[in-house]
Structures are given as structure tokens and as C-alpha cells.
């Protein structure tokens, strides 16, 4: 009976997320975009760049390039999980039904994580299967595969945290896209080595995607697992902060 | 320029599988407040949106002063409209909302202050619209409709969210505006809201016209010559009144409803024939009852949920 | 019991007429209305200010972290362009008018690498042996046919005959300041390649055979950077039928290595092997390396002063999208279209207002950012002569500043147009970020040909407008996305973005007219 009681908000959040049409569109976009970009990335390699199967390219990493695009869908999904409630005022109904606020946030995070992990796994596995079919000497590995799925899940949680903190969909999405895309762009294009060095280690992206590397690991600015750890720390830290704000603020 | 009339002719509009408006025709004359009544989902808002050029009709015409809306050069000076009072940017001040509308027609800012005074919103005008109560939003929406001092007004559920005092205020306002010779169309899903306000009624259900009648005619028809009669001598009374041209229905062991004969004539006949009776009452309907009476005949109209079935067939 | 007091009006009342003068709802009034809408939402003004501040701040941070110790002294061509000018030269002075003719019989690699497509063997007239002095040359190449090139930044293609497969006759004629290049397959039938005028050419110039080959480049790319190693690339060319007509003071041909062959090569790995010239029975064999071309490899301090735009753009996207999706979200768009039924005019007014507002704010931000960043870079060692001054009001800085402001403005309008189509802020913002920013990130990860293609066909091409150093396509420079190199010229790059914006506006116009509001 008690277990049933504890699972009730989880069930409620699952129903809410499941019944938003945008959820399924975004999950479809996650799989389609990840696969499409992955295919575009490996197509030239498969065609001509490495004849005779002696590729210098990190083909595993290359085949998972689509995660760069797919993470936007995850971010938006995470933002809308909370942002949609603030946008429509449903949040008051939610909090009336489950007054313990941390339980609301934890339930949302759990449902979101499970859903994006499932969608992410589908997207990543599809990319790998495609690469396996197209590339001659393709050797998929567990770490990049698992890491990419975790990365997508963490990005969704990051979106949830940002939306809870800002209580505004557009603001959360803009900030989130800035973290996911603008920071990595600056990391590469910024002419200052000092800032490049700092950003490579302390910004969630592209540090997290070092998890996809299978070659020249010693040359990476940050090792694969610690890299993913940076993103995990951001997601967890912001979610915690969001939880504190969510508890103390008026709905 | 044609007269300040609103004219809907054979309007038909379909959204996907739902036929929202189905061959609707009516006219609103200057100097009257016309109530536009129907349950939620009857097609009222769709008709108003078609009149305002927001939805393109599939068939038929929705004309303002004889012209389609998009042909109006200065629409705010010809039609004032209140569609959705919540359609405000929450960060914009009430006064600024009216200012951009005024700018779009080159109206002086003085006019903004005039209408704010007219709706009694001067004190809140410099506050952000996000903090307005529903009643304040309605007043701001009405102010926006009045901005161009138009001869035609289209108001969608203007009474929504107003307190009793506000309802009285809007009734007086609408009567006064109509008395000035304006044509006013006020939609509502509650007939009682239009009591004391409307001169004329356009009743629709499932997108079709059910009645286009003046309020007095409707009330007269509804109250008509229904007489309730209580008598111990039921059979005797029924025979007598039927012979004299009345239609008699039995509702109770000792109660009859007589139609087709005025109460005075019923009393006269019963007295002459020495039929004992306990009570004769003339029945006077409220607008709400008149509406129920009107819609009872339309079997398909009793529930809005039936609409979907009907359409799929 | 309610007693209705309503009665039908007894007489038909006089229809009401508005007491206000009907003023024509002209376009300037619409602009005024949309501007009032924009100005009265404080959050939007704050976003605009935040965009400007972030642009300046990030630009400044990026510039303050960039330090150079100066590097070797750069060589500048006659028009001030930084150039590479080193080659094997077998020459004689020529005074006054004259002409030099020779047949290039072969050009091949002199080490274990394949011959570079941009290796050059041919004839040159150069004002002196000093690096960077003016010149004109007719050159046979293995991969790009016969070329006439002059003063480093000018190039005209001749026939596309490859010197590795067939010998080629070349001739260069001087008449006053005019130099004319010819080529021929047989030494009898000559065709003119180009006729150029080199102003200020001295009376006595150096004339002769030239051999140059750029170093071989290997690129290893991975996200977050790439390493390029260049080296080797020695070549050998053979010539015969060398004749010089005109007044020459010394009879024998002398040979010189103009400049150091590889000025930046670290010793000892790329130590310069000896260049040689041998003459046997009228056949001249030159071995050497180097290049005569604009130097495209150094830091571009103009481009380095616009890093903040990448952040500013994000705010502009949000602003452009919210300016219209906010109206759809709340149904305010119906009020707008009720006041102005001409929907295309509303779209035009919104576009004008958001375009102008973002252009002005963007212009102020990039101008201030550029000025501050330039002064910071000067303090960090990026000074003349290696890094000349680029004043704000002169090209290329002016073009980059105006272009960046236009870029910010076009992106905001693109977001507005996508917002009209999608009627949803989340979708509009994400779509535009993915169109403008994501292609660049993917270009770092994609193999080079795909990466360059991506930067040509997506709106990201517009960032080319920030490049201060002109990119020449007749050099062997590797245009790497992670090096901030965009394959299109500044103007064409911005045009790609403008085309996307125009297409999105057309789509928006079509949907806004067709759809019910």
C-alpha cells in the first residue's frame, strides 16, 4: 500500500508526459536527427576517404556525431516537462495533487530520464547498426554507446533543471542551447588558448562527448569518463538548485 | 458607405472533420443589441472570427457594413471587437496595449485615455496586464473595442469574469451604445446574461440557426397562452376545454396544462360549465425557459456531446 | 417572475458614425504600432541590452586571452598583403624592354612524397631579389594548368595542360610597365594568357626561371582542434630552349634562393636541403622549394575581434522568435490582425522593426567590441608590421563590423519568420540555432569535404563575413573549419544567410495568408 502511494506521483507524471503530443514528436526527432546526422557523417568515409579500410578517422565517434543534433530534442523534451506546466498554469493543479514538491520534481526527473534513455538507446543503436552496415572495419564499443545514451539522458535532465529554475520555456531553451552549442563553438574558435583550455575542461559540452572517442585518447583535453562526469555534475547540481528553488518559491 | 450592419449569409466553416458553422445566415441592425446564443461549441466564436476576417469561410459571406472585413481601410473605426480578454502580453502595461492599437490607425493618444476613463480603468492603466484580474482584462478588452468609436461592436462573452456590479455596468453601457445607433452583437452561452440587455436574439446550435427573433416575441411565444389548471374534475375539464379549441395535457393526477386558450377564457368556460377547479395560473416564461423551450424541439440539440456523432455519420 | 422591459425600437434609429476621422492605416503607422509593441515589453529591451553586453564581453575576454610573441617578421607584398616569397631563381638582370622564353619539360617531386598540385615552374620578371617585391610570372603547375600570376594576389588561369604530362612553352614580355604572358604547346603558335601593368617597375629587373613548391600538408582532425604538419615538398623542374631578348648586363645566368624556403619550419626536422641548379646541353634543372603566394596561415586579428557574436546571436534568435510567437501563444495575434487585416503588411512591419532594432543594437555592440578587442590585441603583441592596423572605418574591418551587424539582424528576422510558420517559441528558437550554429560544430566533426560543403550550404556560411584576411583559392592553404576558415567569400557567405531568411519570410507570408489566425 505504501509502495503504491509512493508510485502515485510517478504514475501521474508518466501520464502527463505520455499525453503531450510534443513528447512523441521530440522522441521521433531524437531518433531521426541522430540517425540522419550520423549517416551524413559516415557517408563520405564509407564512399572514398579511407579506401582499403585504413581509416585514420575515429569511425565510432564519427558514427555517433548525430548525438550533437539529437541532444537538442532531449533538451526541449526536458524543458517542456516542466515548462509546459508553467506556461499553462497546470503547475498549480499538479502541486495541489501532490503537495510534496520534491516528490513532484523527482518523479518528473525519473520519468524523463527513463523515457530519454529509451529514446536515446534507440537512436544510438540505430546509428551504430547503420555504421556497421556501411563501414568495412567498424568495431563498436560499449563505452561510446553507453556513454552517448547517458549523455542524452543527462541533457534532458539539464533541460528540466533549467526550466524549473527559470519557469519559462523560451528562456530555458535559449540558455540550454547556448550551453549545448555556443560554448563548444567558442571552445574551438576562440583564439585564446587560456580560455580554450578552461572551457574544454569545465564546460559540459564538448567535455561530455569525449566519451565517444576511441582513438588518440591521450590527446583528449579530458578523459572520457571524467568528461561525462562534468555534464553529470552540471545536471545534478542544477537539478539540486532547481529543487531548492522549487520548494521555496510560490508556484 | 453602407449602413452599420452585420450580415452573415450562408456561412459554412469546417475544421477537419467538425462542421463548426453550417449555412448560418442572420443580420444585425443598427440601434439594437443582438444576443448571439448557443451552447459552448455551437459555432459562435467561429462566426465572430469569420466576421473579423480571422477565419476564411468555406462558403458564404460574413460582411461588416456590406463589405468583407479585409476590405475595410480603417477597421478599428468601423468595428470594435472583443474576442478573448486574455489576449494580452503580460509584461505590457494596459495603456501601452491600447497605444499600439491607436498607433496602428494613427489615432491620438488622447483617445486611449478617453476609453480608459469610459471603462473605468484609469487607475490600473499603468500596471502590467499580467497582474490584471479577469474583470480588468474584460474592461481593457472593451476599451480596445471602443478605441475607434466604431458604429459596430462584436463582443464575445463580455460578461465572463465580471462581478455583479461589472455586469450591471456592461448592461448599461451596451444599452447606451445601442441607443446611439450602433449595431451590437453580444455572444453568450447563458441566456440569462442577456436578459434586460438584448433586443434581439440569434440562437444557434451545432452551427445552424435555431431562432432569429426579437426578445419580446420569443418571450411571448414561450409564455404564450400556457395555463396551468388544477381540478378534481379532470375528465370533464379536458372535454370542455378541448371542445373550445384548447390543447390539454395531463401532467399530474389533478393538474392540466392548457395551451391555445388565455387564462381568462379558461376561467370563464369552467365557471359557465360549473366545472370545479382549485387554481388557474397563467405561466410567464423567463428568457432561460424560453430558450429551453426553443431548443427542446430540436432533439439533436439537447447535448453538445452528440455533435461529434452526428458529424461522423 | 421577470418582466422584460425590452421592446423592439419603434423607429429605425440613425446609424451611428464614428466621430473620429478615418485616417488611412498606412505602413508608417503600422511600423509605429509594432515599434510600440516592442518597446513596451521590458524583457525584450533587456534581452537586446544583454545581447550587446554579452557580445562585447565575450569578444573582450577572448581577445585578452590571446597573446603572441610576435613570430618571424612577416613579408608583405606590394599591396600590403602578408605573403610567402621564397623560391629557386635562375636569373639575369634585364634593362628596359625585352622578353624571355623557355620550355618547361618536366616537374616532379624530389623527395618521397607526391608532387604538390600547386608546385610552380616557369618564368618570372621580378623588380628585385628582395622578398615581397613586385613581380609577374607565367607558371606551369602539375594540378592547376598554366597560370599567369602577379604581385601575389592576382591570378589568371591559362590552359589546363598539366606540366607533368606534356612539356609547355612559356614566354614573358616586358614593354615599359606592361608585362604579357604567353604559352604554347609547340613554340610556334602562341596564345596570350594575360596582359598586366606593374606600376613602379624599375628600369632594370631580374628575369629568369622560377621553381617553387609549397610544403606537403598532413591534417589530423579531431573535435576541438586539429594538427597540421607540413614539410618536405622539394621539387625538380627541367627547362630548355631558354632565350632572353633585350639588354642584359652580365652574360652568365646566376642562381639564388629567394627567401628561406620554409620560414616557419622548426629545425632540424625540416632543415632546408640544398637547392641546386645544373645546366647540361642547354637543359636547366632546378631543385628547390618554397612558394610565391599570399600567406593564409597566420592569425586573423580582424576575425579574432568578433568572438562575442556567437553568444549575441543566441539572444537575437530568442528575440526574433518571441516577438511573434508571444502573440500566437496568447491569441494577441488576432487583435493584431483585427486592427490590420492586411497580414502581409503586419509581417513586413514586424520584420522591419525587429530587423532594424537588432541591426542597430548589433552594430553598436560589434563596433565597440571590435575597437576594444583590437586595442587589447595590440597590447598582447599583435602589432605591426606582422599585424598591420585595421581601422574601424576602413575595409576589411568596416565590412566585418557591418557584416556582423547584418548577420545578427538577419538571424533575428529568420527566427521571426520561422516563428510565424511554427507559431511556437521553443520550436522556432531550436530550429534557428540548429540552422545557424550547429552546422559549424558538425563541420569540426565531419570529414573535410563534407565539412566544407556544410559551411557552404547552411546559414553558418555567413560567419565568413568576419574574416579580415582575404582567402585566395589559388593557394595550397588548407581551409579548416576549426581554424575559423569559411569556404565562401564574405559577401557570398552573407548572401547564403540572406537567402535562407528570404525563403523563410516567403514561407511565413504564404502560411500567414493561408492559415486562419
Amino acid at each position: 500500500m505504501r509502495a503504491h502511494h509512493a508510485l502515485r506521483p510517478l504514475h501521474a507524471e508518466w501520464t502527463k508526459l505520455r499525453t503531450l503530443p510534443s513528447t512523441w514528436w521530440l522522441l521521433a526527432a531524437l531518433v531521426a536527427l541522430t540517425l540522419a546526422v550520423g549517416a551524413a557523417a559516415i557517408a563520405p568515409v564509407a564512399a572514398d576517404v579511407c579506401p582499403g579500410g585504413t581509416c585514420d578517422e575515429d569511425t565510432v565517434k564519427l558514427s555517433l556525431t548525430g548525438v550533437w543534433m539529437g541532444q537538442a530534442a532531449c533538451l526541449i523534451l526536458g524543458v517542456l516537462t516542466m515548462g509546459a506546466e508553467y506556461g499553462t498554469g497546470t503547475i498549480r493543479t499538479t502541486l495541489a495533487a501532490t503537495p510534496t514538491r520534491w516528490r513532484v520534481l523527482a518523479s518528473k526527473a525519473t520519468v524523463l530520464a527513463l523515457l530519454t534513455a529509451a529514446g536515446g538507446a534507440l537512436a544510438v543503436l540505430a546509428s551504430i547498426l547503420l555504421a556497421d552496415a556501411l563501414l568495412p572495419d567498424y568495431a563498436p564499443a560499449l563505452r561510446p554507446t553507453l556513454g552517448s545514451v547517458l549523455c542524452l539522458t543527462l541533457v534532458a535532465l539539464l533541460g528540466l533543471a533549467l526550466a524549473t529554475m527559470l519557469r519559462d520555456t523560451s528562456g530555458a531553451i535559449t540558455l540550454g542551447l547556448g550551453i549545448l552549442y555556443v560554448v563548444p563553438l567558442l571552445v574551438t574558435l576562440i583564439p585564446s588558448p587560456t580560455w580554450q583550455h578552461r572551457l574544454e575542461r569545465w564546460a559540459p559540452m564538448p567535455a561530455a562527448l569525449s566519451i565517444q572517442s576511441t582513438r588518440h585518447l591521450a590527446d583528449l583535453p579530458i578523459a572520457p569518463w571524467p568528461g561525462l562526469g562534468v555534464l553529470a555534475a552540471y545536471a545534478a547540481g542544477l537539478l539540486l538548485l532547481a529543487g531548492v528553488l522549487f520548494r521555496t518559491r510560490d508556484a | 458607405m453602407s449602413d452599420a450592419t452585420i450580415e452573415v449569409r450562408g456561412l459554412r466553416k469546417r475544421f477537419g472533420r467538425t462542421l463548426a458553422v453550417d449555412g448560418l445566415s442572420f443580420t444585425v441592425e443598427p440601434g439594437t443589441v443582438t444576443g448571439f446564443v448557443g451552447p459552448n461549441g455551437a459555432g459562435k466564436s467561429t462566426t465572430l472570427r469569420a466576421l473579423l476576417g480571422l477565419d476564411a469561410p468555406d462558403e458564404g459571406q460574413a460582411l461588416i457594413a456590406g463589405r468583407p472585413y479585409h476590405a475595410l481601410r480603417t477597421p478599428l473605426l468601423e468595428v470594435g471587437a472583443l474576442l478573448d480578454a486574455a489576449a494580452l502580453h503580460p509584461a505590457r502595461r494596459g495603456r501601452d496595449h491600447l497605444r499600439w492599437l491607436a498607433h496602428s490607425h494613427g489615432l491620438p493618444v488622447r483617445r486611449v485615455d478617453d476609453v480608459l476613463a469610459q471603462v473605468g480603468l484609469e487607475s490600473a492603466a499603468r500596471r502590467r496586464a499580467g497582474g490584471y484580474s479577469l474583470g480588468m482584462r474584460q474592461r481593457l478588452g472593451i476599451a480596445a473595442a471602443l478605441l475607434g468609436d466604431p458604429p459596430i461592436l462584436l463582443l464575445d462573452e463580455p460578461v465572463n469574469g465580471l462581478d455583479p456590479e461589472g455586469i450591471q455596468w456592461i448592461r448599461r453601457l451596451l444599452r447606451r451604445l445601442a441607443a446611439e445607433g450602433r449595431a451590437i452583437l453580444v455572444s453568450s452561452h447563458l441566456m440569462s446574461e442577456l436578459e434586460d440587455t438584448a433586443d434581439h436574439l440569434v440562437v444557434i446550435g451545432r452551427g445552424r440557426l435555431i431562432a432569429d427573433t426579437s426578445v419580446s416575441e420569443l418571450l411571448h411565444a414561450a409564455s404564450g397562452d400556457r395555463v396551468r389548471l388544477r381540478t378534481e374534475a379532470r375528465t370533464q375539464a379536458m372535454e370542455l376545454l378541448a371542445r373550445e379549441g384548447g390543447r390539454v395535457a395531463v401532467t399530474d393526477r389533478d393538474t392540466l396544462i392548457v395551451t391555445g386558450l388565455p387564462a381568462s377564457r379558461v376561467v370563464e368556460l369552467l365557471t359557465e360549465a360549473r366545472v370545479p377547479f382549485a387554481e388557474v395560473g397563467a405561466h410567464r416564461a423567463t428568457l432561460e425557459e424560453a430558450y429551453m423551450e426553443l431548443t427542446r424541439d430540436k432533439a439533436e440539440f439537447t447535448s453538445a456531446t452528440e455533435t461529434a456523432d452526428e458529424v461522423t455519420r | 417572475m421577470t418582466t422584460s422591459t425590452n421592446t423592439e425600437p419603434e423607429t429605425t434609429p440613425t446609424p451611428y458614425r464614428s466621430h473620429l476621422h478615418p485616417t488611412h492605416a498606412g505602413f508608417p503607422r503600422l511600423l509605429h504600432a509594432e515599434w510600440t509593441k516592442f518597446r513596451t515589453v521590458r524583457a525584450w529591451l533587456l534581452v537586446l541590452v544583454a545581447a550587446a553586453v554579452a557580445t562585447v564581453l565575450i569578444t573582450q575576454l577572448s581577445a585578452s586571452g590571446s597573446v603572441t610573441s610576435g613570430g618571424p617578421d612577416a613579408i608583405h607584398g606590394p599591396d600590403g598583403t602578408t605573403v610567402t616569397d621564397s623560391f629557386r631563381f635562375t636569373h639575369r638582370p634585364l634593362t628596359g624592354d625585352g622578353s624571355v622564353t623557355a620550355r618547361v619539360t618536366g616537374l616532379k617531386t624530389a623527395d618521397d612524397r607526391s608532387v604538390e598540385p600547386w608546385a610552380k615552374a616557369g618564368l618570372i620578371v621580378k623588380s628585385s631579389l628582395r622578398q615581397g617585391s613586385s613581380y609577374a610570372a607565367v607558371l606551369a603547375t602539375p594540378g592547376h594548368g598554366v597560370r599567369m600570376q602577379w604581385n601575389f594576389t592576382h591570378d589568371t588561369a591559362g590552359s589546363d595542360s598539366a606540366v607533368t604530362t606534356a612539356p609547355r612553352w612559356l614566354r614573358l614580355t616586358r614593354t615599359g610597365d606592361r608585362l604579357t604572358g604567353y604559352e604554347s604547346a609547340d613554340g610556334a603558335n602562341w596564345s596570350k594568357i594575360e596582359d598586366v601593368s606593374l606600376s613602379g617597375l624599375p628600369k632594370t629587373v631580374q628575369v629568369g626561371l622560377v621553381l617553387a613548391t609549397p610544403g606537403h600538408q598532413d591534417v589530423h582532425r579531431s573535435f576541438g582542434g586539429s594538427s597540421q604538419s607540413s614539410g618536405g615538398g622539394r621539387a625538380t623542374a627541367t627547362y630548355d630552349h631558354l632565350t632572353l631578348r633585350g639588354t642584359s648586363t652580365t652574360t652568365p645566368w646566376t642562381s639564388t634562393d629567394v627567401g628561406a624556403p620554409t620560414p616557419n619550419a622548426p629545425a632540424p626536422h625540416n632543415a632546408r636541403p640544398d637547392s641546386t641548379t645544373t645546366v647540361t646541353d642547354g637543359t636547366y634543372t632546378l631543385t628547390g622549394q618554397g612558394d610565391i603566394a599570399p600567406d593564409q596561415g597566420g592569425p586573423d586579428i580582424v576575425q579574432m575581434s568578433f568572438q562575442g557574436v556567437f553568444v549575441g546571436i543566441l539572444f537575437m534568435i530568442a528575440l526574433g522568435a518571441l516577438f511573434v510567437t508571444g502573440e500566437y501563444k496568447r491569441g494577441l495575434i488576432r487583435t493584431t490582425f483585427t486592427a490590420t487585416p492586411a497580414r502581409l503588411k503586419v509581417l513586413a512591419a514586424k520584420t522591419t522593426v525587429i530587423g532594424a532594432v537588432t541591426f542597430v543594437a548589433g552594430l553598436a555592440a560589434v563596433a565597440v567590441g571590435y575597437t576594444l578587442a583590437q586595442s587589447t590585441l595590440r597590447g598582447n603583441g599583435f602589432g605591426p608590421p606582422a599585424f598591420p592596423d585595421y581601422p574601424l572605418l576602413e575595409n576589411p574591418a568596416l565590412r566585418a563590423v557591418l557584416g556582423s551587424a547584418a548577420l545578427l539582424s538577419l538571424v533575428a528576422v529568420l527566427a521571426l519568420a520561422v516563428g510565424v510558420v511554427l507559431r511556437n517559441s521553443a520550436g522556432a528558437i531550436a530550429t534557428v540555432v540548429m540552422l545557424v550554429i550547429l552546422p559549424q560544430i558538425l563541420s569540426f566533426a565531419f570529414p573535410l569535404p563534407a565539412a566544407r560543403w556544410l559551411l557552404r550550404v547552411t546559414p553558418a556560411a555567413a560567419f565568413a563575413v568576419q574574416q579580415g584576411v582575404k582567402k585566395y583559392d589559388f593557394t595550397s592553404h588548407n581551409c579548416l573549419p576549426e581554424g575559423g576558415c569559411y569556404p565562401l567569400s564574405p559577401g557570398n557567405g552573407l548572401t547564403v544567410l540572406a537567402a535562407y531568411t528570404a525563403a523563410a519570410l516567403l514561407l511565413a507570408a504564404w502560411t500567414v495568408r493561408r492559415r486562419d489566425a
Side-chain angles (χ1 to χ4, degrees), chain B residues 212-223:
Chain B
D212 183 355
T213 169
S214 78
V215 168
S216 49
E217 272 170 22
L218 180 66
L219 284 176
H220 184 71
S223 329

Side-chain angles (χ1 to χ4, degrees), chain C residues 355-442:
Chain C
V357 160
T358 50
F359 182 80
V360 170
L363 187 62
V366 290
V368 171
Y370 177 80
T371 313
L372 290 177
Q374 284 290 303
S375 98
T376 306
L377 288 171
R378 297 273 166 252
N380 287 355
F382 293 90
F387 301 96
D389 276 326
Y390 295 109
L392 179 63
L393 296 179
E394 287 171 27
N395 280 336
L398 185 63
R399 193 237 312 125
V401 166
L402 286 175
S404 296
L407 188 157
L408 288 168
S409 170
L410 282 170
V411 165
V413 173
L414 178 63
L416 176 104
V418 174
V420 171
V421 176
L422 298 181
R423 301 197 276 193
N424 168 296
S425 63
I429 294 171
T431 304
V432 178
V433 168
M434 301 241 248
L435 275 175
V436 179
I437 299 195
L438 186 65
Q440 304 205 69
I441 292 179
L442 293 180

Side-chain angles (χ1 to χ4, degrees), chain A:
Chain A
M1 204 57 203
R2 284 183 67 154
H4 180 235
H5 181 73
L7 284 176
R8 214 180 289 154
L10 213 58
H11 189 217
E13 291 305 332
W14 163 240
T15 307
K16 259 190 276 179
L17 198 58
R18 185 171 60 79
T19 49
L20 273 180
S22 60
T23 302
W24 301 104
W25 280 113
L26 285 167
L27 283 175
L30 165 63
V31 177
L33 294 177
T34 306
L35 193 60
V37 173
I42 55 170
V45 179
D48 56 14
V49 171
C50 53
T54 50
C55 273
D56 186 54
E57 297 277 357
D58 184 341
T59 48
V60 173
K61 183 176 171 149
L62 201 60
S63 67
L64 294 173
T65 309
V67 170
W68 274 107
M69 189 118 177
Q71 60 181 355
C74 290
L75 177 85
I76 298 172
L77 188 60
V79 167
L80 290 183
T81 303
M82 186 57 99
E85 296 217 10
Y86 277 110
T88 57
T90 325
I91 189 70
R92 293 185 201 101
T93 318
T94 302
L95 293 180
T98 313
T100 324
R101 295 196 180 181
W102 68 263
R103 197 174 277 172
V104 171
L105 190 61
S107 307
K108 278 188 188 295
T110 310
V111 168
L112 176 69
L114 290 175
L115 195 63
T116 43
L122 200 63
V124 167
L125 287 176
S127 303
I128 285 179
L129 287 176
L130 183 74
D132 201 33
L134 289 181
L135 298 178
D137 58 342
Y138 184 76
L142 182 64
R143 178 174 46 72
T145 311
L146 185 65
S148 297
V149 177
L150 282 174
C151 178
L152 289 168
T153 310
L154 289 169
V155 164
L157 291 176
L158 188 73
L160 174 67
L162 289 175
T164 311
M165 287 166 66
L166 299 179
R167 295 187 284 189
D168 174 63
T169 308
S170 332
I173 283 179
T174 309
L175 186 58
L177 291 174
I179 294 171
L180 293 188
Y181 295 125
V182 175
V183 174
L185 191 62
L186 283 175
V187 166
T188 305
L189 293 181
I190 209 162
S192 153
T194 336
W195 278 100
Q196 194 162 30
H197 192 69
R198 281 178 199 156
L199 287 172
E200 272 173 346
R201 274 146 203 267
W202 302 114
M205 285 286 159
L209 286 178
S210 63
I211 197 81
Q212 296 181 339
S213 298
T214 59
R215 289 188 187 209
H216 310 294
L217 290 186
D219 296 343
L220 289 175
I222 187 162
W225 284 111
L228 191 66
V230 173
L231 175 63
Y234 272 90
L238 287 176
L239 211 51
L240 204 65
L241 185 60
V244 171
L245 288 172
F246 191 50
R247 277 193 64 169
T248 50
R249 273 192 311 214
D250 293 336

Side-chain angles (χ1 to χ4, degrees), chain C residues 34-293:
Chain C
E34 290 299 331
W35 162 241
T36 307
K37 268 190 209 172
F38 181 83
R39 161 179 89 69
T40 51
V41 174
R42 192 161 41 173
W44 293 346
L45 295 176
L46 287 177
V47 170
L48 202 59
V49 172
V53 170
T55 304
V56 174
L57 212 65
I58 301 289
T59 303
Q60 185 56 17
L61 274 179
S62 153
S64 64
S66 310
V67 180
T68 184
S69 53
D73 282 343
I75 302 147
H76 297 281
D79 60 359
T81 312
T82 308
V83 299
T84 307
D85 193 11
S86 61
F87 55 98
R88 183 69 180 166
F89 193 14
T90 298
H91 56 95
R92 281 165 69 176
L94 171 73
T95 305
D97 295 347
S99 116
V100 61
T101 306
R103 187 174 72 150
V104 185
T105 54
L107 176 56
K108 60 185 197 304
T109 179
D111 54 26
D112 52 351
R113 300 173 199 271
S114 55
V115 66
E116 288 297 310
W118 273 115
K120 301 171 175 101
L123 304 168
I124 193 168
V125 168
K126 193 164 169 66
S127 57
S128 76
L129 293 176
R130 185 182 57 82
Q131 281 184 291
S133 61
S134 61
Y135 76 93
V138 276
L139 303 162
T141 69
H144 300 276
V146 179
R147 325 285 296 196
M148 172 135 181
Q149 296 186 341
W150 64 102
N151 287 358
F152 305 97
T153 54
H154 302 277
D155 170 79
T156 298
S159 72
D160 50 9
S161 113
V163 68
T164 39
T165 54
R168 202 75 188 160
W169 289 81
L170 302 173
R171 176 176 290 165
L172 194 55
T173 308
R174 177 189 182 181
T175 318
D177 280 355
R178 302 205 71 76
L179 287 143
T180 312
Y182 302 90
E183 63 172 310
S184 167
D186 51 13
N189 303 309
W190 290 89
S191 56
K192 189 172 89 174
I193 307 170
E194 185 64 282
D195 181 19
V196 300
S197 172
L198 296 186
S199 59
L201 203 63
K203 190 162 176 60
T204 300
V205 293
Q206 296 295 328
V207 188
L209 301 172
V210 59
L211 171 70
T213 178
H216 183 80
Q217 296 183 331
D218 286 317
V219 186
H220 296 279
R221 304 171 71 234
S222 63
F223 186 87
S226 59
S227 61
Q228 262 192 80
S229 60
S230 63
R234 281 171 77 227
T236 297
T238 48
Y239 312 75
D240 57 15
H241 295 97
L242 175 62
T243 49
L244 177 64
R245 290 179 213 282
T247 319
S248 191
T249 47
T250 48
T251 341
W253 293 89
T254 49
S255 290
T256 309
D257 271 318
V258 176
T262 49
N264 294 321
H269 178 62
N270 285 332
R272 166 185 156 197
D274 284 338
S275 303
T276 56
T277 301
T278 56
V279 189
T280 343
D281 299 335
T283 297
Y284 290 75
T285 305
L286 273 64
T287 299
Q289 58 192 115
D291 202 3
I292 316 169

